[in-house]
């Protein structure tokens, strides 16, 4: 059995980074305030669906690039009804549990992390050492190591300019994006140029942002919306793997 949710317009909760719906549905444990005004621990929706044999232990997601705004599909126990490559590329999931408020009974968040060995930038392979990235539908940009972000943004035509206030790279709204691909387990997934631009009012920003240096404890690296628009992503909790197929 599968359940498919269609999101014709996902609303942004902040100026640049829309809040992901996935943690609320797929946390390993979460909490709510009961009638006694205390935090009660419970299994989230997706865990309950698995326990009650309503869904297979995986969900899939893809994000559509439409002019009307963010949209896409979230499917429990199946695949979204979009055209994609026949073969999926599989990589292990590296799970990381965290909380903004402390241990249980405070809400717990599980990040789904994958190893990214390399990128291609205008046909040149850029090897990454020990780079691990969160796959996150709630972040617009691909947040990569600073040196890679600077290289990619220098290759826009005309080049992007870093905006200290926004923490993003400004681009001309008519700029041409470089050809960039993300390589996972030997398969390179190309990023559509149209997806590489964030428009906010009259301003445009590059979808490639810097998140620090590999090895820095405070660094954050994310495969965000711009990546998830180019693939069908399968979060397989039964095998602790992720599967990716290119959109066609």
């Amino acid at each position: 059995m599968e359940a498919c949710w269609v999101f014709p317009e996902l609303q942004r909760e902040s100026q640049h980074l829309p809040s992901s719906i996935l943690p609320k549905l797929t946390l390993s444990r979460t909490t709510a305030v009961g009638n006694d005004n205390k935090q009660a621990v419970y299994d989230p929706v997706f865990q309950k669906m698995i326990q009650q044999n309503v869904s297979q232990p995986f969900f899939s997601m893809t994000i559509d690039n439409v002019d009307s705004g963010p949209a896409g599909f979230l499917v429990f126990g199946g695949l979204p009804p979009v055209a994609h490559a026949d073969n999926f590329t599989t990589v292990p999931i590296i799970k990381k549990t965290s909380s903004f408020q402390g241990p249980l009974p405070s809400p717990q968040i599980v990040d789904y992390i994958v190893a990214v060995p390399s990128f291609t930038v205008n046909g040149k392979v850029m090897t990454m050492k020990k780079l691990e990235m969160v796959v996150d539908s709630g972040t617009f940009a691909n947040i990569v190591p600073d040196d890679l972000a600077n290289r990619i943004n220098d290759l826009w035509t005309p080049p992007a300019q870093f905006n200290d206030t926004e923490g993003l790279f400004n681009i001309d709204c008519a700029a041409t994006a470089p050809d960039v691909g993300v390589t996972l387990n030997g398969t390179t997934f190309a990023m559509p140029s149209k997806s590489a631009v964030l428009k906010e009012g009259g301003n445009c920003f590059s979808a490639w942002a810097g998140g620090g240096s590999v090895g820095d404890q405070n660094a954050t690296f994310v495969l965000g919306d711009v990546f998830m628009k180019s693939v069908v992503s399968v979060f397989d909790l039964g095998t602790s793997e992720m599967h990716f197929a290119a959109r066609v």
Side-chain angles (χ1 to χ4, degrees):
M1 182 179 293
E2 67 181 54
C4 178
W5 290 7
V6 182
F7 298 92
E9 190 166 356
L10 300 176
Q11 297 298 319
R12 296 178 185 272
E13 294 185 4
S14 64
Q15 186 175 5
H16 297 298
L17 303 180
S19 174
S20 172
I21 61 169
L22 293 182
K24 301 177 180 65
L25 298 170
T26 63
L27 296 177
S28 59
R29 303 286 277 173
T30 189
T31 63
V33 178
N35 293 332
D36 58 359
N37 211 32
K38 294 182 179 179
Q39 291 282 356
V41 178
Y42 68 94
D43 290 323
V45 173
F46 186 54
Q47 292 293 339
K48 283 292 186 184
M49 292 171 69
I50 295 172
Q51 293 167 10
Q52 296 174 12
N53 294 319
V54 175
S55 173
Q56 295 295 315
F58 70 90
F59 62 93
S60 63
M61 187 174 188
T62 193
I63 299 174
D64 285 338
N65 193 3
V66 295
D67 292 335
S68 61
F73 296 90
L74 170 64
V75 184
F76 295 126
L79 297 175
V82 299
H84 59 80
D86 293 334
N87 296 324
F88 280 79
T89 295
T90 298
V91 295
I93 293 175
I94 306 164
K95 292 183 180 179
K96 179 181 178 182
T97 302
S98 60
S99 174
F100 296 110
Q101 300 171 333
L104 287 170
S106 297
Q108 304 297 294
I109 296 174
V110 176
D111 287 327
Y112 298 98
I113 300 170
V114 297
V116 180
S118 65
F119 291 80
T120 59
V121 182
N122 282 352
K124 183 177 180 180
V125 177
M126 308 292 294
T127 302
M128 301 288 110
K129 293 183 178 180
K130 299 182 179 180
L131 176 61
E132 297 176 348
M133 301 184 72
V134 179
V135 181
D136 180 23
S137 64
T139 301
F140 162 74
N142 285 335
I143 304 177
V144 297
D146 288 344
D147 55 351
L148 179 61
N150 292 335
R151 182 177 182 84
I152 292 172
N153 285 299
D154 282 344
L155 292 173
W156 281 84
T157 306
Q161 301 295 322
F162 186 69
N163 184 318
D164 287 311
T165 302
E166 301 290 350
L168 295 169
F169 287 82
N170 281 106
I171 56 172
D172 187 298
C173 291
T176 301
D179 295 325
V180 183
V182 179
T183 300
L184 299 169
N185 195 17
T187 301
T188 298
F189 297 94
M191 305 292 99
S193 297
K194 184 178 180 181
S195 302
V197 180
L198 171 64
K199 294 183 179 180
E200 290 287 348
N203 297 315
C204 290
F205 300 93
S206 167
W208 296 92
S213 300
V214 176
D216 184 346
Q217 286 188 331
N218 296 320
T220 300
F221 305 114
V222 179
L223 291 173
D225 286 5
V226 64
F227 172 74
M228 298 188 76
K229 288 176 181 177
S230 65
V231 298
V232 171
S233 303
V234 179
F235 298 74
D236 192 337
L237 307 189
T239 62
S240 294
E241 294 173 325
M242 287 203 67
H243 315 285
F244 299 99
R247 294 280 298 266
V248 296

